[in-house]
Amino acid sequence: MLYTIIQHAHSGWRWVVLILLVWAIVSAFGKWRSGATFTETDRKRAFFAMTATHLQLLFGLVLYFISPYVKFADDTMKDPLLRFYTVEHIFIMALAIFVISGGYRRSLGRATDTAKFKTQFYYFLIGLLLILAGI
């Protein structure tokens, strides 16, 4: 029962994550290229995208410990499905969230508005590409 609820939450929340990341990336790119001023709304947009990935990570971590597809056995690495869920998926997603979080923090410390948008754009884009690779 718990597994099914968390699995559905993790599966449904991915769309929120993807939409917020794409929104943050497109916005950062447009504002970077136009030389716009970095506002509190821009910070919040990036913050919500980052926070959505963190919530997705929490759902994923719960699933990781209760999923029948995560096994620590001698033959785990031989089975592509078990290897994917036990090693590859969690590693790639954690790396993506680390990149996105780092990009958010680094962007806030940049001196110019253009640099803030540029930093968000690149880090969030790399994070999104990692997420897509890990799905």
Side-chain angles (χ1 to χ4, degrees):
M1 176 76 171
L2 176 64
Y3 174 74
T4 304
I5 293 169
I6 299 296
Q7 185 181 34
H8 285 300
H10 188 64
S11 181
W13 191 253
R14 73 177 157 192
W15 297 111
V16 174
V17 169
L18 292 173
I19 289 167
L20 288 174
L21 278 176
V22 168
W23 182 37
I25 290 166
V26 169
S27 177
F29 181 76
K31 291 185 175 206
W32 161 36
R33 302 306 284 173
S34 71
T37 301
F38 191 86
T39 66
E40 181 65 13
T41 301
D42 298 314
R43 186 198 64 78
K44 285 179 181 178
R45 181 183 305 110
F47 177 78
F48 289 137
M50 179 192 68
T51 302
T53 64
H54 287 193
L55 184 56
Q56 183 73 333
L57 176 64
L58 289 177
F59 289 141
L61 286 173
V62 171
L63 278 177
Y64 189 76
F65 291 106
I66 64 174
S67 173
Y69 297 110
V70 175
K71 295 190 187 225
F72 298 98
D74 293 338
D75 62 343
T76 297
M77 297 306 278
K78 294 175 187 170
D79 183 337
L81 183 67
L82 292 178
R83 183 182 62 237
F84 175 75
Y85 284 112
T86 304
V87 179
E88 296 167 2
H89 182 69
I90 192 166
F91 176 76
I92 293 170
M93 295 306 177
L95 180 61
I97 293 166
F98 179 77
V99 169
I100 290 166
S101 299
Y104 173 76
R105 285 297 296 149
R106 288 192 85 171
S107 71
L108 298 180
R110 298 293 188 209
T112 66
D113 293 340
T114 300
K116 289 177 183 182
F117 287 124
K118 186 176 178 180
T119 301
Q120 276 184 9
F121 171 75
Y122 281 119
Y123 277 83
F124 281 37
L125 180 62
I126 291 168
L128 176 62
L129 292 175
L130 284 168
I131 288 170
L132 294 175
I135 291 178

